[in-house]
């Protein structure tokens, strides 16, 4: 079974500052990794995903994440945040092996961007 | 517009009164899923469906039922709601047969309060 740990439940950051949201996963098999964002009062939408290939993945809205297999991490970064990035961010993992394997989500990190 | 819709968006009910939350998608997706989101717990999968007439339990299926009679619809049924089912519910869908690499598209959520 897979599991995901998001190390920070809340991250406050000033506008235009860089941010990193941390995610570690646990799995005995190869995985696919995702970051989803949930803006206030909305459903989740995909930011980016790692399936294979380059370990640096670029997503929407200037976000990127780096897959580190040895550290079992998939941290999300943005070099300069905007007020509009205020949202909750979820890291998720699923197994490569079976198409029936559901997404396992972390508990979320609430990013608050301060003007 | 490609979307996942849920109804109702908000619902207050009493213990034991059967209710149904509808979910519909217009993207011809085979895979559909229900999640519940609770503070500090992230999203947990309730049920999923790989295709019409094919459903299976997720991580927290107790107290819920689903059906998949048509490809576009995946209703969530609470036969006898209890206060511990107070939560925010999301329906999601993805193309093909829910291969783990696929992006899931989420509905806007249904906020349920059971008194």
């Amino acid at each position: 079974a897979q599991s995901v740990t998001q190390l920070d439940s809340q991250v406050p950051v000033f506008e235009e500052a860089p941010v990193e949201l941390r995610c570690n996963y646990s799995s005995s098999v190869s995985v696919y990794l995702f970051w989803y964002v949930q803006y206030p009062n909305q459903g989740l939408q995909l930011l980016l995903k790692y399936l294979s290939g380059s370990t640096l993945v670029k997503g929407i809205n200037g976000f990127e994440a780096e897959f580190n297999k040895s550290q079992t991490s998939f941290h999300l970064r943005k070099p300069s945040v905007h007020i509009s990035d205020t949202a909750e961010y979820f890291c998720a993992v699923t197994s490569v092996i079976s198409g029936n394997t559901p997404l396992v989500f972390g508990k979320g990190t609430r990013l608050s961007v301060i003007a | 517009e490609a979307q996942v819709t849920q109804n109702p968006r908000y619902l207050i009910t009493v213990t034991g009164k059967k209710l149904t939350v509808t979910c519909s998608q217009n993207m011809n997706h085979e895979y559909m899923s229900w999640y519940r989101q609770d503070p500090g717990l992230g999203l947990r999968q309730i049920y999923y469906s790989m295709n019409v007439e094919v459903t299976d339990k997720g991580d927290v299926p107790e107290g819920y039922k689903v059906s998949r009679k048509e490809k576009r619809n995946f209703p969530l049924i609470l036969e006898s709601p209890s206060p511990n089912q107070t939560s925010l519910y999301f329906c999601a869908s993805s193309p093909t047969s829910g291969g783990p690499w696929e992006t899931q598209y989420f509905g806007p959520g249904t906020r349920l309060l059971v008194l």
Side-chain angles (χ1 to χ4, degrees):
Chain A
Q2 294 79 42
S3 66
V4 175
T5 302
Q6 290 184 244
L7 297 157
D8 306 293
S9 59
Q10 296 187 63
V11 173
V13 63
F14 285 110
E15 193 174 19
E16 298 183 8
V19 71
E20 178 180 81
L21 306 183
R22 297 180 293 167
C23 171
N24 285 93
Y25 69 93
S26 172
S27 177
S28 58
V29 298
S30 295
V31 295
Y32 297 127
L33 292 154
F34 304 77
W35 276 100
Y36 281 83
V37 60
Q38 183 180 27
Y39 296 107
N41 299 313
Q42 294 185 28
L44 282 72
Q45 58 182 275
L46 182 72
L47 265 182
L48 50 80
K49 61 183 175 182
Y50 171 78
L51 304 181
S52 65
S54 172
T55 57
L56 184 62
V57 181
K58 294 191 183 298
I60 62 171
N61 300 338
F63 283 93
E64 63 181 32
E66 185 156 20
F67 171 57
N68 188 318
K69 188 174 183 180
S70 62
Q71 297 187 3
T72 61
S73 68
F74 191 54
H75 301 333
L76 181 70
R77 301 186 183 100
K78 186 170 182 177
S80 175
V81 295
H82 302 287
I83 294 288
S84 58
D85 293 323
T86 293
E88 189 145 21
Y89 293 79
F90 292 93
C91 183
V93 64
T94 189
S95 165
V96 167
I97 288 182
S98 168
N100 267 350
T101 306
L103 275 177
V104 175
F105 286 87
K107 295 181 180 181
T109 297
R110 187 171 298 277
L111 175 64
S112 300
V113 181
I114 304 160
Chain B
E1 180 190 353
Q3 59 182 349
V4 179
T5 57
Q6 297 178 225
N7 281 292
R9 294 288 314 279
Y10 305 93
L11 180 60
I12 301 173
T13 188
V14 295
T15 299
K17 186 176 181 182
K18 181 179 178 179
L19 67 92
T20 299
V21 184
T22 65
C23 172
S24 183
Q25 50 92 5
N26 62 2
M27 296 170 280
N28 202 36
H29 286 170
E30 283 85 359
Y31 182 90
M32 297 185 75
S33 180
W34 275 104
Y35 295 88
R36 60 178 288 174
Q37 182 181 18
D38 302 290
L41 296 178
L43 278 82
R44 295 175 293 168
Q45 191 180 53
I46 303 170
Y47 270 94
Y48 64 95
S49 170
M50 301 293 284
N51 213 323
V52 176
E53 302 291 2
V54 181
T55 64
D56 209 346
K57 297 177 181 178
D59 294 325
V60 288
E62 295 77 20
Y64 304 95
K65 285 175 58 177
V66 293
S67 68
R68 188 89 183 274
K69 293 184 171 57
E70 305 167 281
K71 197 172 188 179
R72 63 182 292 128
N73 296 323
F74 190 46
L76 179 69
I77 303 156
L78 284 71
E79 294 270 4
S80 183
S82 62
N84 64 12
Q85 293 178 297
T86 292
S87 188
L88 178 58
Y89 292 86
F90 289 101
C91 181
S93 72
S94 67
T96 66
S97 292
W101 56 88
E102 296 289 356
T103 299
Q104 291 199 24
Y105 296 85
F106 285 79
T110 295
R111 192 170 291 279
L112 172 65
L113 172 61
V114 183
L115 300 173

